[in-house]
């Protein structure tokens, strides 16, 4: 029996996602059920019933509590002395217990054996070591159950896009997805980068009529608006070309920039000719996009000059004094000769970044429900599209209204405006959000995510998070920009708990989870949200009268109409006063349900084929309603940003939003596809990277001092999930102990003392055991996650770099906000455009831009280098040299300097030139420390001070 046949025989049709547990505790023993069909090892291709040991195809059992699937014979071999004496699935747990025990013994010995000669040095070191052990425990506990998942897209297609009795035409029964793309400043986020992201979305492999793309322009710039219009025009050529020839990736800049054989796996004779035509058209498209700023400026200058002439003519006709200066507003003009309602470069009233009207423009209208095929190639059609569906998804430009005196809540406010607008215009039950520089690299990514949302138990999933992958990073990844340890180790581990955290982009949400509802079949409800009374009220407010099609599952609960009328008065407090928005909520809930036979409860699911219906066309009334919900005052006295939508009050609104969902009992999924689902860019410059880490760490400090602290989580959040979120709020505080610990080796060398009174055998053995257990744990994580040793080491280095620079600044800023109410603002991270010259691809890496964040690491490096010289000189010229203390201090100083090596290299620039500020600080620190040392410990031999003798 083939693989799909085996799945259907065991579970029935439609189970399309799979889970394997790759180490640590067994998730099944903690209440997690393996509920998916495609459970297998990606490396070994094992079926669910086979032993996971290489070379063995015997029937697997679960003989150990860790849940590792292994046959009896292999298990007995592993337990023997030849096999190591333990189960293969328990390695990580064993190592964690060993390291925990080693840490306990080490700290116990350190506390019981103080250094009487330098109690201050001993006390500081022990305090730091205790905190490091605690933070390590917080980091390791959530890693007990790492998970890998796979999907079967063929089952998804058979289940939702094949003809059946209720859907004889085989129209797509997949739910709709609204894609959000956010941008704020076309100067820092080049329009060409945003345009390529939009094109990759429009060309994604998902039913066209079920897809809608919304671009949020929080800057209200005409440049972004006209760039999107150009993008919509070019998409009429690019999207059919991608569909016809199965182009990957569907970002034209990346596709045409590939240095591989583009003829591979392309058998159509017309491919080369059409590719050449589309490439030429794309080059012209880039020229048009890049020339838009100048075009807008020249057009506006011409219109403004014309307006000035008209004003002067009118002044003459009125008999005014021509010598008097005439003030004419310098506006920004659209191509149709009207004023742009958004922001102007002159920042006039009603036309500045914080004061402009709301704008909505549908660049591409909703497509027809039936395929539309093109025509043969001619002067207007670059490709032969007679066999290609040329429909395009709906594309909408949105710029929310902004007025002085309102807190617009930055990106979170923009995302909530998109939630409301999309609910009225398309109302997809699922939402994908992307940054403007994160494009869809795998055209099947949306289908991969929907496999989990539509699988058994998928109605309890609030979001599916994809890992972030980056391009344009230097090959050595000097500043750990790939973040592989977080995305491939920590996030996989969280997936075995209640789910991974939301990291801001590349995430598919369930719309009703964003609305603040609790998951279905919850043991308790939180307030009015999620209650049956509220669901009944929404059913009453819905547009469609047929309860079988849109009714929320209320379990037979009925309420008196008078009670419902009273409750209806509370509806605007939650969602605002838009009746269209309120009516869209039960529709979105219904369309996001599982199929009835998958759910197992007919009254809870939706029948097959119920979504294979055409979408209603947009009309003027709908667009007007969408405009009203993006007004700056719409959220006043509502739950938006408090419980509904993206949560306000933190610079890391993504983590807080995901935390709130997990706290209500939802779970999330981590979807790692074989081919990267999304790719983006990351700042490779040292200063930009430090400021990025500063923003993240500051958000974590805000979370710790807020009600979103995991210590206050509800009973619905699992214990280890709570530990994971607690670690998110606590990790910046480790920087205070880390800075002290980085200075300890220098203080030891300056004073001639050490953290222990003597380097005896017990101390060295315990230190070696702690270090070896850490290395073994790292190697195990490297093995099951698939990262490299280089990635792990780069993460360790930047952990110290960030911990001595950005993290302490974040703690200070967070405390200032909590104690003094000082608001925190961050500049938008610039997105670099694709370079034309390959030699300049990493030019930004070598740019040295001074930042106050660089001061602590520079100070640490200088002091440790000076301390090594001072300690070595003292020991060499001492009549009784203490080599053990010197070696101990030099070893730890060398450990600090090795971790700071990428930081020091970043200060050198491309050709080794050191910034002047480094020389200045080096000289000042050297002189200060030398004078301080002379005063504290003057030279011995009867001299009371320095004496200089000249010949």
């Amino acid at each position: 029996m083939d693989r799909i046949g085996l799945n259907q025989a065991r579970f029935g049709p439609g189970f399309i996602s799979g889970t394997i547990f790759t180490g640590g505790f067994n998730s099944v023993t903690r209440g997690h059920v393996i509920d998916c069909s495609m459970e297998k090892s990606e490396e070994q291709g094992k079926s669910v019933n086979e032993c996971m040991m290489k070379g063995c195809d015997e029937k697997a059992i679960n003989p150990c509590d860790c849940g590792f699937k292994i046959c009896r014979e292999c298990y007995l071999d592993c337990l023997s002395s030849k096999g190591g004496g333990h189960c293969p699935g328990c390695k990580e747990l064993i190592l964690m217990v060993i390291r925990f025990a080693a840490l306990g013994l080490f700290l116990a010995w350190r506390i019981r054996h103080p250094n009487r000669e330098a109690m201050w040095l001993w006390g500081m070191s022990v305090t730091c070591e205790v905190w490091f052990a605690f933070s390590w425990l917080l980091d390791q506990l959530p890693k007990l159950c790492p998970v890998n998942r796979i999907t079967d897209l063929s089952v998804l297609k058979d289940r939702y896009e094949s003809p059946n009795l209720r859907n004889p035409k085989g129209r797509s029964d997949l739910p709709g997805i609204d894609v959000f793309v956010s941008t704020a400043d076309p100067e820092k986020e080049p329009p060409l980068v945003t345009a390529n992201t939009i094109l990759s979305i429009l060309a994604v492999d998902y039913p066209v009529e079920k897809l809608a793309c919304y671009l949020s322009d929080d800057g209200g710039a005409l440049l972004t608006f006209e760039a999107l219009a150009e993008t919509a025009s070019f998409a009429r050529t690019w999207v059919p070309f991608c569909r016809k020839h199965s182009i990957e990736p569907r970002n034209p800049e990346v596709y045409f920039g590939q240095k591989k054989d583009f003829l591979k796996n392309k058998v159509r004779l017309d491919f080369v000719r059409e590719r050449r035509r589309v490439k030429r058209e794309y080059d012209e498209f880039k020229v048009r996009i890049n020339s838009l700023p100048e075009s807008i400026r020249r057009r506006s200058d011409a219109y403004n000059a014309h307006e000035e002439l008209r004003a002067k003519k009118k002044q003459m006709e009125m008999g005014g004094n021509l010598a008097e200066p005439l003030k004419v507003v310098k506006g920004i003009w659209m191509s149709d000769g009207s004023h742009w309602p958004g922001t102007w470069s002159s920042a006039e009233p009603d036309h500045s970044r914080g004061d402009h009207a709301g704008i909505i423009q549908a660049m591409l209208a909703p497509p027809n429900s039936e395929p539309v095929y093109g025509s043969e190639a001619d002067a207007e059609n670059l490709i032969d599209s007679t066999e290609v569906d040329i429909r395009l998804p709906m594309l909408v430009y949105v710029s929310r209204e902004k007025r002085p005196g309102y807190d617009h809540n930055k990106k979170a406010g923009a995302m909530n405006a998109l939630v409301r607008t999309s609910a009225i215009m398309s109302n997809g039950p699922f939402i994908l959000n992307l940054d403007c520089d994160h494009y869809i690299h795998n055209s099947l990514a949306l289908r991969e995510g929907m496999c989990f949302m539509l699988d058994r138990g998928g109605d309890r999933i609030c979001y599916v998070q994809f890992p972030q992958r980056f391009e344009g990073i230097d090959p050595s990844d000097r500043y750990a920009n790939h973040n592989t340890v977080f995305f491939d180790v920590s996030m996989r581990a969280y997936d075995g708990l209640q789910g991974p955290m939301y990291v801001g982009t590349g995430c598919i949400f369930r719309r009703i989870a964003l609305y603040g509802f609790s998951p279905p079949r919850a043991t308790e409800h939180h307030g009015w949200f999620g209650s049956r009374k509220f669901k009944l009220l929404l059913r009453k407010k819905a547009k469609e009268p047929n309860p079988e099609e849109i009714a929320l599952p209320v379990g037979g609960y009925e309420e008196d109409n008078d009670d419902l009328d009273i409750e209806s008065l509370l509806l605007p407090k939650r969602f605002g006063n838009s009746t269209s928005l309120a009516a869209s909520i039960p529709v979105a809930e219904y369309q996001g349900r599982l199929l009835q036979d998958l759910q197992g409860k007919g009254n809870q699911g939706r029948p097959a084929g119920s979504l294979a219906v055409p979408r209603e066309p947009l009309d003027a009334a709908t667009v007007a309603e969408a405009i009203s919900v993006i007004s700056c005052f719409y959220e006043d006295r509502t739950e938006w940003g408090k419980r509904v939508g993206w949560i306000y009050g933190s610079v890391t609104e993504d983590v807080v939003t995901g935390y709130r969902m997990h706290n209500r009992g939802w779970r999330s999924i981590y979807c790692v596809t074989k081919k990267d689902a999304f790719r983006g860019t990351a700042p490779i410059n040292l200063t930009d990277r430090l400021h990025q880490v500063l923003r993240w760490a500051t958000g974590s400090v805000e979370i710790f001092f807020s009600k979103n602290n995991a210590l206050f989580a509800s009973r619905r959040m699992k214990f280890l999930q709570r530990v994971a979120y607690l670690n998110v709020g606590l990790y910046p505080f480790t920087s205070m102990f880390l800075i002290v610990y980085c200075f300890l080796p220098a203080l030891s060398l300056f004073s001639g003392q050490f953290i222990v009174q003597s380097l005896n055998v017990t101390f060295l053995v315990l230190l070696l055991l702690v270090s070896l257990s850490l290395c073994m744990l790292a190697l195990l994580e490297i093995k099951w996650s698939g990262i490299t040793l280089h990635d792990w080491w780069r993460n360790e280095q930047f952990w110290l770099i960030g911990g001595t620079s950005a993290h302490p600044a974040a703690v200070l800023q967070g405390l200032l906000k909590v104690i003094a109410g000082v608001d925190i603002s961050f500049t938008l991270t610039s997105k670099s455009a694709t370079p034309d010259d390959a030699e300049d691809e990493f030019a930004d890496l070598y740019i040295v831009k001074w930042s106050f964040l660089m001061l602590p690491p520079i100070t640490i490096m200088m002091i440790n280098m000076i301390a090594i010289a001072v300690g070595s000189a003292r020991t060499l010229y001492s009549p009784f040299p203490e080599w053990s203390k010197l070696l101990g201090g030099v070893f730890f100083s060398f450990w600090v300097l090795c971790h700071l090596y990428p930081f020091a290299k970043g200060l050198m620039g491309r050709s080794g030139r050191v910034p002047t500020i480094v020389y200045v600080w080096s000289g000042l620190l050297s002189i200060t420390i030398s004078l301080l040392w002379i005063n504290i410990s003057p030279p011995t031999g009867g001299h009371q001070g320095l004496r200089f003798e000249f010949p």
Side-chain angles (χ1 to χ4, degrees):
M1 185 180 295
D2 61 12
R3 184 63 209 164
I4 296 180
L6 176 61
N7 295 334
Q8 294 174 347
R10 291 181 59 249
F11 297 104
F15 296 95
I16 46 186
S17 63
T19 309
I20 59 174
F21 302 95
T22 58
F25 285 140
N26 179 15
S27 289
V28 178
T29 64
R30 293 202 300 271
H32 293 265
V33 181
I34 301 177
D35 61 352
C36 308
S37 61
M38 294 300 293
E39 180 185 353
K40 69 176 185 178
S41 169
E42 294 182 15
E43 297 179 356
Q44 303 176 26
K46 298 282 188 177
S47 70
V48 69
N49 290 323
E50 293 182 6
C51 176
M52 302 302 292
M53 299 298 291
K54 291 183 178 180
C56 181
D57 57 359
E58 295 294 327
K59 183 177 180 181
I61 58 175
N62 292 330
C64 182
D65 289 339
C66 73
F68 186 76
K69 294 186 177 301
I70 186 173
C71 67
R72 181 176 179 81
E73 290 75 13
C74 292
Y75 180 68
L76 294 176
D77 290 340
C78 292
L79 293 183
S80 64
S81 57
K82 181 179 179 180
H86 53 76
C87 169
C90 295
K91 291 180 180 179
E92 182 173 4
L93 176 61
I94 288 177
L95 287 175
M96 284 186 62
V97 172
I98 291 174
R99 177 165 170 77
F100 184 74
L103 278 173
L105 293 173
F106 176 80
L107 293 175
W109 187 91
R110 292 277 284 117
I111 294 172
R112 291 198 307 265
H113 295 79
N115 185 357
R116 305 290 181 184
E117 298 177 358
M119 292 294 292
W120 59 276
L121 192 63
W122 170 83
M124 288 192 297
S125 62
V126 169
T127 302
C128 294
E129 288 162 3
V130 170
W131 179 266
F132 292 152
F134 173 67
S135 63
W136 173 84
L137 189 63
L138 289 181
D139 181 67
Q140 287 296 313
L141 280 177
K143 295 181 180 179
L144 292 176
C145 186
V147 170
N148 289 327
R149 301 181 186 272
I150 57 175
T151 58
D152 190 344
L153 296 180
S154 62
V155 179
L156 180 74
K157 184 176 181 62
D158 292 341
R159 184 67 181 176
Y160 290 92
E161 296 181 301
S162 298
N164 54 54
L165 294 177
R166 296 181 61 91
N167 183 19
K169 292 185 177 181
R171 291 175 176 172
S172 176
D173 196 26
L174 289 171
I177 300 179
D178 293 337
V179 184
F180 296 170
V181 180
S182 57
T183 184
D185 189 344
E187 294 183 0
K188 295 184 177 181
E189 299 168 326
L192 183 60
V193 174
T194 304
N196 276 276
T197 298
I198 297 295
L199 289 169
S200 70
I201 296 170
L202 298 179
V204 74
D205 187 354
Y206 200 78
V208 182
E209 68 276 10
K210 302 299 181 73
L211 194 66
C213 180
Y214 295 82
L215 174 65
S216 170
D217 177 18
D218 222 28
L222 178 58
L223 175 57
T224 305
F225 179 87
E226 295 199 354
L228 188 63
E230 291 285 353
T231 303
S233 177
F234 177 69
R236 302 183 189 280
T237 299
W238 173 250
V239 173
F241 173 70
C242 292
R243 291 174 183 163
K244 180 178 181 179
H245 299 289
S246 300
I247 299 301
E248 293 286 350
R250 300 187 177 184
N251 175 322
E253 183 67 38
V254 176
Y255 172 71
F256 290 123
Q258 292 180 119
K259 298 180 180 179
K260 66 178 183 180
D261 183 12
F262 61 85
L263 294 177
K264 186 178 180 181
N265 299 328
K266 297 295 185 298
V267 296
R268 297 186 66 105
L269 299 178
D270 55 353
F271 170 70
V272 175
R273 179 177 65 255
E274 294 183 350
R275 183 185 186 276
R276 187 183 301 115
R277 292 176 179 175
V278 176
K279 174 64 166 61
R280 183 166 57 249
E281 181 67 18
Y282 176 67
D283 291 338
E284 296 177 0
F285 166 75
K286 288 202 299 183
V287 172
R288 292 195 299 271
I289 292 290
N290 293 328
S291 63
L292 279 177
E294 180 65 17
S295 175
I296 294 173
R297 186 192 64 80
R298 294 178 61 181
R299 179 204 309 152
S300 298
D301 289 345
Y303 276 111
N304 288 330
H306 179 67
E307 288 294 305
E308 186 174 358
L309 290 176
R310 289 181 57 186
K312 288 183 178 179
K313 183 179 178 180
K314 184 175 181 180
Q315 185 183 31
M316 292 176 60
E317 293 175 351
M318 298 295 294
N321 186 4
L322 297 179
E324 293 181 359
L326 185 64
K327 183 179 180 181
V328 178
V329 176
K330 303 292 185 180
I332 299 296
W333 295 78
M334 303 175 66
S335 58
D336 62 357
S338 61
H339 270 137
W340 169 243
T343 60
W344 295 353
S345 56
S346 58
E348 298 290 337
D350 293 331
H351 295 285
S352 64
R353 291 185 60 87
D355 183 14
H356 62 80
I359 309 168
I360 292 180
Q361 175 65 48
M363 298 293 185
L364 295 173
N368 298 324
S369 58
E370 297 291 341
V372 176
Y373 297 99
S375 57
E376 296 181 354
D378 53 26
E380 296 183 358
N381 301 307
L382 298 181
I383 67 172
D384 181 2
S385 56
T386 54
E387 301 177 357
V388 182
D389 186 359
I390 62 172
R391 292 177 301 162
L392 298 178
M394 184 170 71
L395 176 62
V396 182
Y397 172 90
V398 180
S399 182
R400 58 178 172 147
E401 181 189 20
K402 288 187 175 181
R403 298 301 178 193
Y406 286 89
D407 185 358
H408 300 104
N409 296 297
K410 302 175 183 177
K411 181 180 177 180
M415 298 302 292
N416 285 340
L418 286 183
V419 173
R420 297 191 295 270
T421 298
S422 62
I424 294 173
M425 299 183 70
S426 55
N427 199 29
F430 297 96
I431 294 172
L432 166 66
N433 85 289
L434 296 171
D435 288 342
C436 65
D437 62 327
H438 269 73
Y439 69 92
I440 298 179
H441 184 258
N442 180 358
S443 63
L444 297 173
L446 273 62
R447 292 178 179 269
E448 299 255 10
M450 295 309 296
C451 285
F452 297 104
M453 288 292 194
L454 302 178
D455 205 352
R456 185 173 62 183
D459 55 348
R460 296 187 179 185
I461 298 173
C462 56
Y463 61 82
V464 175
Q465 176 68 64
F466 294 82
Q468 292 185 20
R469 307 301 187 194
F470 303 101
E471 296 176 332
I473 295 177
D474 59 296
S476 64
D477 194 12
R478 182 184 294 178
Y479 307 123
N481 287 281
H482 282 299
N483 273 342
T484 51
V485 172
F486 175 73
F487 287 114
D488 291 316
V489 178
S490 298
M491 293 288 274
R492 288 177 188 262
Y494 300 155
D495 199 10
L497 308 178
Q498 202 169 337
M501 301 172 184
Y502 168 44
V503 294
T505 184
C507 188
I508 299 179
F509 284 94
R510 185 177 298 274
R511 184 180 284 270
I512 63 167
L514 280 172
Y515 285 156
F517 286 102
S518 297
R521 302 181 298 281
T523 57
E524 59 181 271
H525 65 77
H526 285 247
W528 196 61
F529 280 86
S531 68
R532 292 176 293 178
K533 182 182 295 185
F534 179 59
K535 294 175 181 178
L536 244 175
L537 174 61
L538 291 179
R539 188 177 72 181
K540 182 180 178 182
K541 292 286 185 180
K543 291 181 179 179
E544 291 83 351
N546 188 353
E548 295 181 356
E549 294 184 0
I550 52 93
L552 289 166
V554 297
Y557 184 82
E558 293 295 338
E559 283 288 330
D560 184 75
N561 288 332
D562 293 336
D563 293 338
L564 292 180
D565 291 337
I566 295 174
E567 296 288 353
S568 66
L569 299 177
L570 300 176
L571 191 60
K573 181 175 177 57
R574 272 72 182 185
F575 298 102
N577 56 10
S578 173
T579 55
S580 297
L581 176 60
S584 71
I585 298 174
V587 178
E589 192 277 341
Y590 172 76
Q591 293 181 353
R593 292 185 193 176
L594 308 183
L595 295 185
Q596 288 179 349
D597 58 344
L598 290 184
Q599 182 72 20
K601 297 180 181 180
N603 63 331
Q604 295 283 340
R606 63 175 177 88
S610 58
L611 300 186
V613 293
R615 178 187 294 174
E616 294 183 2
L618 286 177
D619 53 22
T622 301
V623 177
E625 183 72 10
I627 284 283
S628 69
V629 299
I630 62 172
S631 62
C632 57
F633 56 83
Y634 182 84
E635 295 182 352
D636 291 350
R637 296 181 295 277
T638 68
E639 293 289 338
W640 286 99
K642 301 174 183 176
R643 173 159 182 145
V644 180
W646 271 257
I647 306 302
Y648 301 153
S650 174
V651 295
T652 51
E653 71 287 335
D654 45 4
V655 176
V656 176
T657 301
Y659 166 82
R660 290 290 188 89
M661 295 181 183
H662 286 142
N663 201 36
R664 289 194 291 270
W666 292 96
R667 67 157 297 130
S668 57
I669 294 293
Y670 197 52
C671 182
V672 183
T673 56
K674 291 184 179 180
K675 180 182 178 182
D676 294 344
F678 309 98
R679 284 189 181 178
T681 59
I684 62 174
N685 180 269
L686 175 60
T687 303
D688 293 339
R689 175 69 166 139
L690 290 179
H691 281 280
Q692 181 187 58
V693 174
L694 172 63
R695 184 173 68 253
W696 295 342
T698 303
S700 295
V701 176
E702 290 177 339
I703 291 173
F704 181 78
F705 287 111
S706 71
K707 62 182 179 181
N708 298 309
N709 190 317
L711 293 175
F712 309 130
S714 70
R715 290 179 295 174
R716 289 189 177 186
M717 182 173 287
K718 308 299 182 183
F719 171 74
L720 291 181
Q721 188 80 14
R722 190 177 305 192
V723 172
Y725 275 111
L726 180 62
N727 188 43
V728 169
L730 273 177
Y731 81 87
F733 295 95
T734 302
S735 61
M736 301 304 177
F737 300 90
L738 186 60
I739 288 180
V740 173
Y741 211 72
C742 287
F743 280 114
L744 286 181
L747 297 176
S748 174
L749 291 170
F750 282 136
S751 63
Q753 303 295 331
F754 196 51
I755 58 176
V756 294
Q757 192 161 353
S758 61
L759 296 177
N760 58 30
V761 177
T762 305
F763 172 77
L764 294 176
V765 169
L766 291 175
L767 182 62
L768 180 62
L769 183 59
V770 170
S771 302
L772 287 178
S773 61
L774 174 63
C775 294
M776 293 175 67
L777 267 174
L779 291 175
L780 182 61
E781 291 180 357
I782 288 171
K783 181 179 179 181
W784 65 254
S785 65
I787 66 174
T788 64
L789 182 61
H790 178 269
D791 294 330
W792 179 85
W793 173 237
R794 280 288 186 251
N795 181 80
E796 290 295 303
Q797 288 179 311
F798 199 79
W799 169 76
L800 193 142
I801 294 172
T804 55
S805 57
H807 294 178
V811 173
L812 179 61
Q813 289 186 348
L815 290 175
L816 286 175
K817 181 176 181 179
V818 172
I819 298 174
V822 179
D823 195 13
I824 304 169
S825 62
F826 294 93
T827 57
L828 185 67
T829 303
S830 300
K831 275 71 175 181
S832 58
T834 304
D836 295 330
D837 187 358
E839 295 181 357
D840 297 330
E841 183 178 1
F842 307 118
D844 193 49
L845 176 69
Y846 309 106
I847 299 175
V848 180
K849 297 183 288 186
W850 172 250
S851 170
F852 73 95
L853 298 177
M854 297 179 179
L855 181 58
I858 291 177
T859 305
I860 290 173
M861 287 191 301
M862 295 299 104
I863 289 182
N864 273 277
M865 288 189 291
I866 295 172
I868 292 175
V870 170
S872 300
R874 180 201 298 108
T875 304
L876 288 173
Y877 294 102
S878 173
F880 304 103
E882 296 182 273
W883 294 101
S884 61
K885 295 182 178 180
L886 173 66
L887 292 177
V890 169
F891 172 80
F892 284 108
S893 287
F894 183 72
W895 177 87
V896 172
L897 294 175
C898 283
H899 281 73
L900 290 174
Y901 171 74
F903 176 85
K905 192 174 181 180
L907 295 179
M908 301 300 176
R910 180 191 291 273
S911 54
R913 292 181 299 224
V914 182
T916 306
I917 190 67
V918 177
Y919 290 114
V920 173
W921 275 104
S922 301
L924 290 176
L925 288 173
S926 300
I927 295 172
T928 303
I929 294 172
S930 299
L931 293 175
L932 183 63
W933 177 254
I934 291 172
N935 283 275
I936 294 176
S937 179
T940 57
H943 302 286
Q944 298 299 318
L946 289 177
R947 182 176 64 185
F948 299 94
E949 297 182 356
F950 299 93

